Amino acid sequence: MNQIKSYHISSRPKATIKLGLPISALICYLSLSLMALFYIAPIVYMVVSSLKPDSRVLTDGGSILAFIPVEGSLRNFQDVFRRVSFGRVMFNSMFITGMIMVCGLVVNALAGYALARLQWRGREVVLTFILALMIIPFETIAVPLFYQVSIIGWRDSYHVQIIPFIADAFSIYLFYSFFIGMPRELEEAARIDGAGPWRTLLYIIVPLARPVFATVAILTFLMRWGSYLWPLMVTTGETYRPLPVAMAAFENQVKLWGDIMAFGVMMVAPILIVFLLFQGWFVKGVAASGTGQKQ
Amino acid sequence: MANLRLINITKFFGTVPAVSDVNLEVTDGEFIVLVGPSGCGKSTLLRLIAGLETDHAGEIIIDGNNINHVPPKNRDIAMVFQNYALYPHMTVYQNMAFGLKMRKISKEEIDNRVLEAAKILKLQDLLNRKSKALSGGQQQRVALGRAIVRKPKLFLFDEPLSNLDAKLRVAMRGELIKLHKKLGTTMIYVTHDQVEAMSMGDRLVVLHEGKVQQIGKPLGIYEHPANLFVAGFIGSPPMNLFHCKIRKDAQRFTIVTDDFELTLPDTFLQVIKSSNLPDNRVILGVRPEDIHEMRPEICPPLKQQISARIEYIEPLGSEVFATCTSGKHEFIVRFSAKTDIHPDQKIKLVIDMERSCFFHPTKENELTMNNNESGDLS
């Protein structure tokens, strides 16, 4: 009798609505949609506003019209190019971010590998030190660093914006956590197969670590592309100024919201392109770094 | 092909000795199996030969050359790892060709060698597949292929079958034996599975706590284990051990336990007499197949019969293992599958004393006049 009772209980269908979804799933989807809307809305607002005449940006701001491109044109974008040397600042940002990303991948990957795989005295101390560095906000070291680069005469240059950011504790940690979980036998097999340390790194380790390379590349790009405080401190003119600082200067100069939004759209576009290109690897890399599953 | 000599090899991990004073001589074309329980140092010893572990004492000599300081890539050895260690981003072909490519062998030669190995291992249809898309058995064959194409002097296998299911393991065991016959190369094989060791090795090296316990032919070790550890480790089920006393009667020596008495065969008289046994104590070792059910035609004196009770049975199809008790002694007896036995049955048993072994009760080594019969004792 008990068995029959329990059968009836367990076989009772869950409450569903007409879509065929259980209510719990519906609530979940609804919450997620609201959250997505919350995050997407400012971006849509920025894109739509960049296409509108400046007078409409503020008047439409309080209504649904803010998300509808009425009287759309590319005039704001033309204005940006007319008022500032946008190509120059875009190049500056691209060059600085690209150099940090490429050099960072090499330096941080090697550091992560050395910490994970090579046996040397003081390895644990260095690792602990690097992990501790992750929790120190940049703002706290900005002034001493500024003082230091001023002494050596690095201000107003590309390298002052590149070199201090190549080695990055978080990137090293990501590489370290990937390499530490990689089967040691792969490297040993390569050693027996006749590969030296560099060829093992090049032919075996790097191809297997592609997801984590992509993750670090994207994270570095995102972090450095939007960097504002440091470039503001160390640059004085347009020659070496990157996009975020140029945008702030542009805002103070023109006070036209349509133009500012157009500037913003052009600044965000490369990030979106980079993310969309490497999205698959990025997800894989994050998952692999988190779970220790490498292959 | 190669001769290998290990002279006084010792390796510490921190303060823990992983391998202690190992001496071994492997002749050209031999299939040597290093066997022992987990943590006995067998894999460390293999890795020392491969050059993957360093900082050891002693000498490793291949073909007369000391290779202590030679890097792994120049030792002319190939190794198959427990988890195969195939490069997951490469195809089967690329995996097999990698070692040759690193040695700058011509493309044509690489093609020939890979195709030849693929043919031997029946991998022709899988050459373009990524190694991570293969089954365990296929991966195992690719790992073998990667070793074969190099045509090394010495093959090292680190428990290569332990990740396969039971059926595939038996099949691959046969494949490896055939491969050894075909190539004739010296092979050193590590396993914790004593069945694998017995069935594959020309000679076994039994290791325990980093020390060699016994080196010898599989059957020799099975019949004459050098000590109690080997007696318990080699053979499944293990050798039955009875703590006994030797009593000297008028003309004969008798082995006495609380529950039965056995006449010491003449063949062991000299051994027992010459051994310095404390309080005349001795340990009798008997394999499960050397204990038989008493039949009317071989009826020994009453005291030499063992009255036992069957506790439980393990029918394996071809045979039945029965765990029996006699007084405080518990032991295992192997019966043929056709024998009509059941739990709680009372049974009379006799021991084939001619096939028994005796061990020293404190030193735990086998008492024998000529240890070489069972292999070289370490």
Side-chain angles (χ1 to χ4, degrees), chain A residues 185-186 188-195 199 203-204 207-208 295, chain B residues 47 73 77 79 81 83 85-89 98-99 102-103 146 150:
Chain A
E185 288 87 348
L186 288 176
E188 291 176 344
R191 277 173 72 192
I192 288 177
D193 271 343
R199 288 210 279 187
Y203 289 109
I204 309 296
L208 289 174
Q295 291 161 37
Chain B
R47 290 168 61 81
K73 63 176 180 174
I77 48 151
M79 185 162 170
F81 292 84
N83 62 3
L86 298 178
Y87 312 125
H89 58 296
F98 184 75
M102 289 296 110
R103 286 174 164 76
R146 189 169 67 179
R150 294 253 319 277

PDB file of all heavy atoms in Angstrom, chain A residues 185-186 188-195 199 203-204 207-208 295, chain B residues 47 73 77 79 81 83 85-89 98-99 102-103 146 150:
ATOM      1  N   GLU A 185      52.931  13.923 -17.234  1.00  0.00           N
ATOM      2  CA  GLU A 185      53.433  12.894 -18.159  1.00  0.00           C
ATOM      3  C   GLU A 185      53.564  13.412 -19.588  1.00  0.00           C
ATOM      4  O   GLU A 185      54.379  12.905 -20.354  1.00  0.00           O
ATOM      5  CB  GLU A 185      52.505  11.666 -18.165  1.00  0.00           C
ATOM      6  CG  GLU A 185      52.564  10.808 -16.931  1.00  0.00           C
ATOM      7  CD  GLU A 185      51.620  11.293 -15.839  1.00  0.00           C
ATOM      8  OE1 GLU A 185      51.098  12.431 -15.965  1.00  0.00           O
ATOM      9  OE2 GLU A 185      51.423  10.559 -14.868  1.00  0.00           O
ATOM     10  N   LEU A 186      52.736  14.409 -19.950  1.00  0.00           N
ATOM     11  CA  LEU A 186      52.823  14.946 -21.313  1.00  0.00           C
ATOM     12  C   LEU A 186      54.203  15.551 -21.547  1.00  0.00           C
ATOM     13  O   LEU A 186      54.821  15.332 -22.589  1.00  0.00           O
ATOM     14  CB  LEU A 186      51.750  16.017 -21.536  1.00  0.00           C
ATOM     15  CG  LEU A 186      50.319  15.510 -21.660  1.00  0.00           C
ATOM     16  CD1 LEU A 186      49.362  16.688 -21.771  1.00  0.00           C
ATOM     17  CD2 LEU A 186      50.167  14.605 -22.865  1.00  0.00           C
ATOM     18  N   GLU A 188      56.864  14.837 -19.778  1.00  0.00           N
ATOM     19  CA  GLU A 188      57.865  13.772 -19.669  1.00  0.00           C
ATOM     20  C   GLU A 188      57.937  12.968 -20.965  1.00  0.00           C
ATOM     21  O   GLU A 188      59.024  12.610 -21.422  1.00  0.00           O
ATOM     22  CB  GLU A 188      57.523  12.867 -18.486  1.00  0.00           C
ATOM     23  CG  GLU A 188      57.723  13.592 -17.165  1.00  0.00           C
ATOM     24  CD  GLU A 188      57.315  12.774 -15.955  1.00  0.00           C
ATOM     25  OE1 GLU A 188      56.593  11.765 -16.118  1.00  0.00           O
ATOM     26  OE2 GLU A 188      57.701  13.155 -14.844  1.00  0.00           O
ATOM     27  N   ALA A 189      56.755  12.717 -21.561  1.00  0.00           N
ATOM     28  CA  ALA A 189      56.729  12.000 -22.840  1.00  0.00           C
ATOM     29  C   ALA A 189      57.485  12.811 -23.893  1.00  0.00           C
ATOM     30  O   ALA A 189      58.257  12.254 -24.682  1.00  0.00           O
ATOM     31  CB  ALA A 189      55.290  11.755 -23.273  1.00  0.00           C
ATOM     32  N   ALA A 190      57.278  14.119 -23.883  1.00  0.00           N
ATOM     33  CA  ALA A 190      57.967  14.980 -24.853  1.00  0.00           C
ATOM     34  C   ALA A 190      59.477  14.961 -24.615  1.00  0.00           C
ATOM     35  O   ALA A 190      60.262  14.935 -25.567  1.00  0.00           O
ATOM     36  CB  ALA A 190      57.432  16.408 -24.755  1.00  0.00           C
ATOM     37  N   ARG A 191      59.870  14.931 -23.346  1.00  0.00           N
ATOM     38  CA  ARG A 191      61.310  14.889 -23.030  1.00  0.00           C
ATOM     39  C   ARG A 191      61.923  13.608 -23.574  1.00  0.00           C
ATOM     40  O   ARG A 191      63.005  13.616 -24.149  1.00  0.00           O
ATOM     41  CB  ARG A 191      61.522  14.930 -21.515  1.00  0.00           C
ATOM     42  CG  ARG A 191      61.478  16.338 -20.946  1.00  0.00           C
ATOM     43  CD  ARG A 191      61.524  16.301 -19.442  1.00  0.00           C
ATOM     44  NE  ARG A 191      62.835  15.922 -18.939  1.00  0.00           N
ATOM     45  CZ  ARG A 191      63.070  15.603 -17.671  1.00  0.00           C
ATOM     46  NH1 ARG A 191      62.083  15.621 -16.794  1.00  0.00           N
ATOM     47  NH2 ARG A 191      64.274  15.286 -17.272  1.00  0.00           N
ATOM     48  N   ILE A 192      61.210  12.491 -23.356  1.00  0.00           N
ATOM     49  CA  ILE A 192      61.728  11.213 -23.846  1.00  0.00           C
ATOM     50  C   ILE A 192      61.710  11.196 -25.377  1.00  0.00           C
ATOM     51  O   ILE A 192      62.587  10.627 -26.017  1.00  0.00           O
ATOM     52  CB  ILE A 192      60.915  10.046 -23.246  1.00  0.00           C
ATOM     53  CG1 ILE A 192      61.271   9.925 -21.765  1.00  0.00           C
ATOM     54  CG2 ILE A 192      61.189   8.747 -23.972  1.00  0.00           C
ATOM     55  CD1 ILE A 192      60.515   8.879 -21.022  1.00  0.00           C
ATOM     56  N   ASP A 193      60.698  11.865 -25.957  1.00  0.00           N
ATOM     57  CA  ASP A 193      60.608  11.928 -27.422  1.00  0.00           C
ATOM     58  C   ASP A 193      61.708  12.799 -28.029  1.00  0.00           C
ATOM     59  O   ASP A 193      61.828  12.875 -29.243  1.00  0.00           O
ATOM     60  CB  ASP A 193      59.241  12.476 -27.834  1.00  0.00           C
ATOM     61  CG  ASP A 193      58.209  11.358 -27.990  1.00  0.00           C
ATOM     62  OD1 ASP A 193      58.621  10.201 -28.090  1.00  0.00           O
ATOM     63  OD2 ASP A 193      57.004  11.657 -28.012  1.00  0.00           O
ATOM     64  N   GLY A 194      62.435  13.506 -27.192  1.00  0.00           N
ATOM     65  CA  GLY A 194      63.575  14.265 -27.715  1.00  0.00           C
ATOM     66  C   GLY A 194      63.385  15.770 -27.723  1.00  0.00           C
ATOM     67  O   GLY A 194      64.211  16.495 -28.274  1.00  0.00           O
ATOM     68  N   ALA A 195      62.291  16.258 -27.142  1.00  0.00           N
ATOM     69  CA  ALA A 195      62.068  17.710 -27.132  1.00  0.00           C
ATOM     70  C   ALA A 195      62.719  18.325 -25.900  1.00  0.00           C
ATOM     71  O   ALA A 195      62.561  17.804 -24.804  1.00  0.00           O
ATOM     72  CB  ALA A 195      60.571  17.996 -27.131  1.00  0.00           C
ATOM     73  N   ARG A 199      61.132  23.491 -26.850  1.00  0.00           N
ATOM     74  CA  ARG A 199      60.281  22.826 -27.857  1.00  0.00           C
ATOM     75  C   ARG A 199      59.072  22.165 -27.188  1.00  0.00           C
ATOM     76  O   ARG A 199      57.998  22.111 -27.758  1.00  0.00           O
ATOM     77  CB  ARG A 199      61.098  21.805 -28.651  1.00  0.00           C
ATOM     78  CG  ARG A 199      62.068  22.511 -29.592  1.00  0.00           C
ATOM     79  CD  ARG A 199      62.337  21.713 -30.820  1.00  0.00           C
ATOM     80  NE  ARG A 199      63.337  20.677 -30.586  1.00  0.00           N
ATOM     81  CZ  ARG A 199      63.841  19.917 -31.552  1.00  0.00           C
ATOM     82  NH1 ARG A 199      63.416  20.064 -32.789  1.00  0.00           N
ATOM     83  NH2 ARG A 199      64.738  19.012 -31.283  1.00  0.00           N
ATOM     84  N   TYR A 203      55.588  23.134 -28.679  1.00  0.00           N
ATOM     85  CA  TYR A 203      54.800  22.125 -29.392  1.00  0.00           C
ATOM     86  C   TYR A 203      53.718  21.474 -28.531  1.00  0.00           C
ATOM     87  O   TYR A 203      52.741  20.970 -29.046  1.00  0.00           O
ATOM     88  CB  TYR A 203      55.709  21.018 -29.936  1.00  0.00           C
ATOM     89  CG  TYR A 203      56.578  21.445 -31.094  1.00  0.00           C
ATOM     90  CD1 TYR A 203      57.949  21.602 -30.943  1.00  0.00           C
ATOM     91  CD2 TYR A 203      56.029  21.691 -32.350  1.00  0.00           C
ATOM     92  CE1 TYR A 203      58.751  21.995 -31.995  1.00  0.00           C
ATOM     93  CE2 TYR A 203      56.824  22.077 -33.414  1.00  0.00           C
ATOM     94  CZ  TYR A 203      58.179  22.229 -33.235  1.00  0.00           C
ATOM     95  OH  TYR A 203      58.962  22.618 -34.276  1.00  0.00           O
ATOM     96  N   ILE A 204      53.935  21.419 -27.224  1.00  0.00           N
ATOM     97  CA  ILE A 204      52.995  20.674 -26.366  1.00  0.00           C
ATOM     98  C   ILE A 204      52.202  21.619 -25.450  1.00  0.00           C
ATOM     99  O   ILE A 204      50.972  21.608 -25.450  1.00  0.00           O
ATOM    100  CB  ILE A 204      53.740  19.619 -25.495  1.00  0.00           C
ATOM    101  CG1 ILE A 204      54.649  18.747 -26.360  1.00  0.00           C
ATOM    102  CG2 ILE A 204      52.747  18.778 -24.696  1.00  0.00           C
ATOM    103  CD1 ILE A 204      53.970  17.890 -27.390  1.00  0.00           C
ATOM    104  N   PRO A 207      50.057  24.825 -27.328  1.00  0.00           N
ATOM    105  CA  PRO A 207      48.827  24.421 -28.025  1.00  0.00           C
ATOM    106  C   PRO A 207      47.735  23.945 -27.071  1.00  0.00           C
ATOM    107  O   PRO A 207      46.564  24.191 -27.284  1.00  0.00           O
ATOM    108  CB  PRO A 207      49.278  23.278 -28.936  1.00  0.00           C
ATOM    109  CG  PRO A 207      50.732  23.451 -29.086  1.00  0.00           C
ATOM    110  CD  PRO A 207      51.226  24.080 -27.838  1.00  0.00           C
ATOM    111  N   LEU A 208      48.148  23.267 -25.995  1.00  0.00           N
ATOM    112  CA  LEU A 208      47.148  22.772 -25.048  1.00  0.00           C
ATOM    113  C   LEU A 208      46.583  23.899 -24.190  1.00  0.00           C
ATOM    114  O   LEU A 208      45.465  23.806 -23.690  1.00  0.00           O
ATOM    115  CB  LEU A 208      47.760  21.701 -24.138  1.00  0.00           C
ATOM    116  CG  LEU A 208      48.051  20.370 -24.815  1.00  0.00           C
ATOM    117  CD1 LEU A 208      48.782  19.447 -23.860  1.00  0.00           C
ATOM    118  CD2 LEU A 208      46.768  19.712 -25.276  1.00  0.00           C
ATOM    119  N   GLN A 295      41.854  19.318 -20.924  1.00  0.00           N
ATOM    120  CA  GLN A 295      41.886  18.874 -22.312  1.00  0.00           C
ATOM    121  C   GLN A 295      40.504  18.774 -22.916  1.00  0.00           C
ATOM    122  O   GLN A 295      39.596  18.394 -22.250  1.00  0.00           O
ATOM    123  CB  GLN A 295      42.566  17.520 -22.397  1.00  0.00           C
ATOM    124  CG  GLN A 295      44.034  17.623 -22.081  1.00  0.00           C
ATOM    125  CD  GLN A 295      44.604  16.307 -21.716  1.00  0.00           C
ATOM    126  OE1 GLN A 295      44.243  15.292 -22.258  1.00  0.00           O
ATOM    127  NE2 GLN A 295      45.485  16.305 -20.751  1.00  0.00           N
TER     128      GLN A 295
ATOM    129  N   ARG B  47      61.462   5.241 -13.695  1.00  0.00           N
ATOM    130  CA  ARG B  47      61.697   6.649 -14.050  1.00  0.00           C
ATOM    131  C   ARG B  47      63.188   7.008 -13.912  1.00  0.00           C
ATOM    132  O   ARG B  47      63.689   7.859 -14.636  1.00  0.00           O
ATOM    133  CB  ARG B  47      60.840   7.555 -13.169  1.00  0.00           C
ATOM    134  CG  ARG B  47      59.344   7.444 -13.504  1.00  0.00           C
ATOM    135  CD  ARG B  47      58.490   8.104 -12.438  1.00  0.00           C
ATOM    136  NE  ARG B  47      58.798   9.511 -12.334  1.00  0.00           N
ATOM    137  CZ  ARG B  47      58.332  10.451 -13.140  1.00  0.00           C
ATOM    138  NH1 ARG B  47      57.511  10.126 -14.113  1.00  0.00           N
ATOM    139  NH2 ARG B  47      58.655  11.711 -12.992  1.00  0.00           N
ATOM    140  N   LYS B  73      66.313  12.197 -23.500  1.00  0.00           N
ATOM    141  CA  LYS B  73      66.209  12.111 -24.958  1.00  0.00           C
ATOM    142  C   LYS B  73      67.415  11.419 -25.584  1.00  0.00           C
ATOM    143  O   LYS B  73      67.329  10.922 -26.698  1.00  0.00           O
ATOM    144  CB  LYS B  73      66.016  13.506 -25.555  1.00  0.00           C
ATOM    145  CG  LYS B  73      67.151  14.468 -25.325  1.00  0.00           C
ATOM    146  CD  LYS B  73      66.887  15.773 -26.042  1.00  0.00           C
ATOM    147  CE  LYS B  73      68.047  16.734 -25.783  1.00  0.00           C
ATOM    148  NZ  LYS B  73      67.939  17.956 -26.541  1.00  0.00           N
ATOM    149  N   ILE B  77      65.752   5.336 -25.247  1.00  0.00           N
ATOM    150  CA  ILE B  77      64.716   4.512 -24.626  1.00  0.00           C
ATOM    151  C   ILE B  77      63.354   5.066 -25.038  1.00  0.00           C
ATOM    152  O   ILE B  77      63.260   6.222 -25.453  1.00  0.00           O
ATOM    153  CB  ILE B  77      64.811   4.559 -23.088  1.00  0.00           C
ATOM    154  CG1 ILE B  77      64.946   6.027 -22.649  1.00  0.00           C
ATOM    155  CG2 ILE B  77      65.934   3.728 -22.542  1.00  0.00           C
ATOM    156  CD1 ILE B  77      64.389   6.295 -21.336  1.00  0.00           C
ATOM    157  N   MET B  79      59.178   5.109 -23.627  1.00  0.00           N
ATOM    158  CA  MET B  79      58.402   4.792 -22.423  1.00  0.00           C
ATOM    159  C   MET B  79      56.909   4.901 -22.720  1.00  0.00           C
ATOM    160  O   MET B  79      56.475   5.843 -23.390  1.00  0.00           O
ATOM    161  CB  MET B  79      58.800   5.756 -21.307  1.00  0.00           C
ATOM    162  CG  MET B  79      58.153   5.461 -19.991  1.00  0.00           C
ATOM    163  SD  MET B  79      59.075   6.297 -18.673  1.00  0.00           S
ATOM    164  CE  MET B  79      57.985   6.061 -17.294  1.00  0.00           C
ATOM    165  N   PHE B  81      53.417   5.366 -20.797  1.00  0.00           N
ATOM    166  CA  PHE B  81      52.964   5.804 -19.475  1.00  0.00           C
ATOM    167  C   PHE B  81      51.622   5.164 -19.112  1.00  0.00           C
ATOM    168  O   PHE B  81      50.882   4.724 -19.984  1.00  0.00           O
ATOM    169  CB  PHE B  81      52.810   7.322 -19.459  1.00  0.00           C
ATOM    170  CG  PHE B  81      54.113   8.053 -19.570  1.00  0.00           C
ATOM    171  CD1 PHE B  81      54.688   8.300 -20.804  1.00  0.00           C
ATOM    172  CD2 PHE B  81      54.772   8.492 -18.436  1.00  0.00           C
ATOM    173  CE1 PHE B  81      55.891   8.970 -20.909  1.00  0.00           C
ATOM    174  CE2 PHE B  81      55.977   9.159 -18.530  1.00  0.00           C
ATOM    175  CZ  PHE B  81      56.534   9.402 -19.770  1.00  0.00           C
ATOM    176  N   ASN B  83      48.899   6.597 -18.111  1.00  0.00           N
ATOM    177  CA  ASN B  83      47.739   7.263 -18.733  1.00  0.00           C
ATOM    178  C   ASN B  83      48.029   7.584 -20.193  1.00  0.00           C
ATOM    179  O   ASN B  83      47.390   8.446 -20.782  1.00  0.00           O
ATOM    180  CB  ASN B  83      47.356   8.521 -17.949  1.00  0.00           C
ATOM    181  CG  ASN B  83      48.467   9.540 -17.955  1.00  0.00           C
ATOM    182  OD1 ASN B  83      49.499   9.318 -18.586  1.00  0.00           O
ATOM    183  ND2 ASN B  83      48.276  10.656 -17.283  1.00  0.00           N
ATOM    184  N   ALA B  85      49.771   9.372 -21.908  1.00  0.00           N
ATOM    185  CA  ALA B  85      50.419  10.665 -22.181  1.00  0.00           C
ATOM    186  C   ALA B  85      50.464  10.978 -23.668  1.00  0.00           C
ATOM    187  O   ALA B  85      51.483  11.423 -24.190  1.00  0.00           O
ATOM    188  CB  ALA B  85      51.826  10.693 -21.572  1.00  0.00           C
ATOM    189  N   LEU B  86      49.369  10.729 -24.362  1.00  0.00           N
ATOM    190  CA  LEU B  86      49.307  11.122 -25.781  1.00  0.00           C
ATOM    191  C   LEU B  86      49.044  12.619 -25.836  1.00  0.00           C
ATOM    192  O   LEU B  86      48.357  13.162 -24.970  1.00  0.00           O
ATOM    193  CB  LEU B  86      48.175  10.371 -26.488  1.00  0.00           C
ATOM    194  CG  LEU B  86      48.315   8.851 -26.515  1.00  0.00           C
ATOM    195  CD1 LEU B  86      47.109   8.234 -27.206  1.00  0.00           C
ATOM    196  CD2 LEU B  86      49.590   8.425 -27.219  1.00  0.00           C
ATOM    197  N   TYR B  87      49.564  13.265 -26.853  1.00  0.00           N
ATOM    198  CA  TYR B  87      49.356  14.703 -26.987  1.00  0.00           C
ATOM    199  C   TYR B  87      47.947  14.923 -27.542  1.00  0.00           C
ATOM    200  O   TYR B  87      47.683  14.586 -28.707  1.00  0.00           O
ATOM    201  CB  TYR B  87      50.416  15.308 -27.906  1.00  0.00           C
ATOM    202  CG  TYR B  87      51.822  14.855 -27.557  1.00  0.00           C
ATOM    203  CD1 TYR B  87      52.651  14.252 -28.494  1.00  0.00           C
ATOM    204  CD2 TYR B  87      52.310  15.010 -26.262  1.00  0.00           C
ATOM    205  CE1 TYR B  87      53.923  13.819 -28.158  1.00  0.00           C
ATOM    206  CE2 TYR B  87      53.582  14.584 -25.921  1.00  0.00           C
ATOM    207  CZ  TYR B  87      54.382  13.982 -26.875  1.00  0.00           C
ATOM    208  OH  TYR B  87      55.642  13.547 -26.532  1.00  0.00           O
ATOM    209  N   PRO B  88      47.027  15.451 -26.739  1.00  0.00           N
ATOM    210  CA  PRO B  88      45.613  15.445 -27.144  1.00  0.00           C
ATOM    211  C   PRO B  88      45.296  16.330 -28.344  1.00  0.00           C
ATOM    212  O   PRO B  88      44.300  16.105 -29.019  1.00  0.00           O
ATOM    213  CB  PRO B  88      44.871  15.946 -25.900  1.00  0.00           C
ATOM    214  CG  PRO B  88      45.894  16.530 -25.016  1.00  0.00           C
ATOM    215  CD  PRO B  88      47.224  15.994 -25.396  1.00  0.00           C
ATOM    216  N   HIS B  89      46.164  17.323 -28.611  1.00  0.00           N
ATOM    217  CA  HIS B  89      45.882  18.219 -29.729  1.00  0.00           C
ATOM    218  C   HIS B  89      46.433  17.686 -31.041  1.00  0.00           C
ATOM    219  O   HIS B  89      46.282  18.321 -32.076  1.00  0.00           O
ATOM    220  CB  HIS B  89      46.479  19.596 -29.432  1.00  0.00           C
ATOM    221  CG  HIS B  89      47.962  19.555 -29.176  1.00  0.00           C
ATOM    222  ND1 HIS B  89      48.505  18.896 -28.103  1.00  0.00           N
ATOM    223  CD2 HIS B  89      49.003  20.064 -29.868  1.00  0.00           C
ATOM    224  CE1 HIS B  89      49.825  19.027 -28.137  1.00  0.00           C
ATOM    225  NE2 HIS B  89      50.147  19.723 -29.206  1.00  0.00           N
ATOM    226  N   PHE B  98      56.001  12.425 -33.653  1.00  0.00           N
ATOM    227  CA  PHE B  98      56.599  13.546 -32.902  1.00  0.00           C
ATOM    228  C   PHE B  98      58.058  13.285 -32.501  1.00  0.00           C
ATOM    229  O   PHE B  98      58.939  14.123 -32.718  1.00  0.00           O
ATOM    230  CB  PHE B  98      55.748  13.855 -31.664  1.00  0.00           C
ATOM    231  CG  PHE B  98      56.232  15.047 -30.893  1.00  0.00           C
ATOM    232  CD1 PHE B  98      56.016  16.327 -31.368  1.00  0.00           C
ATOM    233  CD2 PHE B  98      56.904  14.902 -29.684  1.00  0.00           C
ATOM    234  CE1 PHE B  98      56.468  17.434 -30.661  1.00  0.00           C
ATOM    235  CE2 PHE B  98      57.355  16.000 -28.975  1.00  0.00           C
ATOM    236  CZ  PHE B  98      57.129  17.262 -29.471  1.00  0.00           C
ATOM    237  N   GLY B  99      58.297  12.102 -31.942  1.00  0.00           N
ATOM    238  CA  GLY B  99      59.648  11.767 -31.480  1.00  0.00           C
ATOM    239  C   GLY B  99      60.640  11.746 -32.632  1.00  0.00           C
ATOM    240  O   GLY B  99      61.806  12.143 -32.469  1.00  0.00           O
ATOM    241  N   MET B 102      61.339  15.358 -33.773  1.00  0.00           N
ATOM    242  CA  MET B 102      62.257  16.039 -32.860  1.00  0.00           C
ATOM    243  C   MET B 102      63.699  15.613 -33.122  1.00  0.00           C
ATOM    244  O   MET B 102      64.637  16.322 -32.805  1.00  0.00           O
ATOM    245  CB  MET B 102      61.906  15.709 -31.394  1.00  0.00           C
ATOM    246  CG  MET B 102      60.629  16.323 -30.885  1.00  0.00           C
ATOM    247  SD  MET B 102      60.680  18.100 -30.852  1.00  0.00           S
ATOM    248  CE  MET B 102      59.560  18.516 -32.166  1.00  0.00           C
ATOM    249  N   ARG B 103      63.852  14.394 -33.671  1.00  0.00           N
ATOM    250  CA  ARG B 103      65.209  13.900 -33.953  1.00  0.00           C
ATOM    251  C   ARG B 103      65.624  14.196 -35.386  1.00  0.00           C
ATOM    252  O   ARG B 103      66.603  13.626 -35.878  1.00  0.00           O
ATOM    253  CB  ARG B 103      65.264  12.396 -33.669  1.00  0.00           C
ATOM    254  CG  ARG B 103      65.279  12.108 -32.199  1.00  0.00           C
ATOM    255  CD  ARG B 103      65.194  10.642 -31.875  1.00  0.00           C
ATOM    256  NE  ARG B 103      65.580  10.421 -30.491  1.00  0.00           N
ATOM    257  CZ  ARG B 103      64.836  10.689 -29.434  1.00  0.00           C
ATOM    258  NH1 ARG B 103      63.622  11.170 -29.616  1.00  0.00           N
ATOM    259  NH2 ARG B 103      65.263  10.473 -28.196  1.00  0.00           N
ATOM    260  N   ARG B 146      53.865   4.923 -30.659  1.00  0.00           N
ATOM    261  CA  ARG B 146      54.790   6.042 -30.475  1.00  0.00           C
ATOM    262  C   ARG B 146      56.148   5.536 -29.976  1.00  0.00           C
ATOM    263  O   ARG B 146      57.194   6.092 -30.313  1.00  0.00           O
ATOM    264  CB  ARG B 146      54.195   7.022 -29.463  1.00  0.00           C
ATOM    265  CG  ARG B 146      54.957   8.297 -29.349  1.00  0.00           C
ATOM    266  CD  ARG B 146      54.213   9.324 -28.563  1.00  0.00           C
ATOM    267  NE  ARG B 146      54.068   8.954 -27.166  1.00  0.00           N
ATOM    268  CZ  ARG B 146      53.458   9.705 -26.251  1.00  0.00           C
ATOM    269  NH1 ARG B 146      52.907  10.844 -26.609  1.00  0.00           N
ATOM    270  NH2 ARG B 146      53.364   9.321 -25.011  1.00  0.00           N
ATOM    271  N   ARG B 150      60.239   4.690 -32.729  1.00  0.00           N
ATOM    272  CA  ARG B 150      61.555   5.221 -32.385  1.00  0.00           C
ATOM    273  C   ARG B 150      62.650   4.159 -32.513  1.00  0.00           C
ATOM    274  O   ARG B 150      63.833   4.485 -32.541  1.00  0.00           O
ATOM    275  CB  ARG B 150      61.525   5.731 -30.944  1.00  0.00           C
ATOM    276  CG  ARG B 150      60.612   6.934 -30.702  1.00  0.00           C
ATOM    277  CD  ARG B 150      61.441   8.164 -30.508  1.00  0.00           C
ATOM    278  NE  ARG B 150      62.592   7.826 -29.688  1.00  0.00           N
ATOM    279  CZ  ARG B 150      62.573   7.763 -28.354  1.00  0.00           C
ATOM    280  NH1 ARG B 150      61.473   8.063 -27.698  1.00  0.00           N
ATOM    281  NH2 ARG B 150      63.651   7.422 -27.686  1.00  0.00           N
TER     282      ARG B 150
END
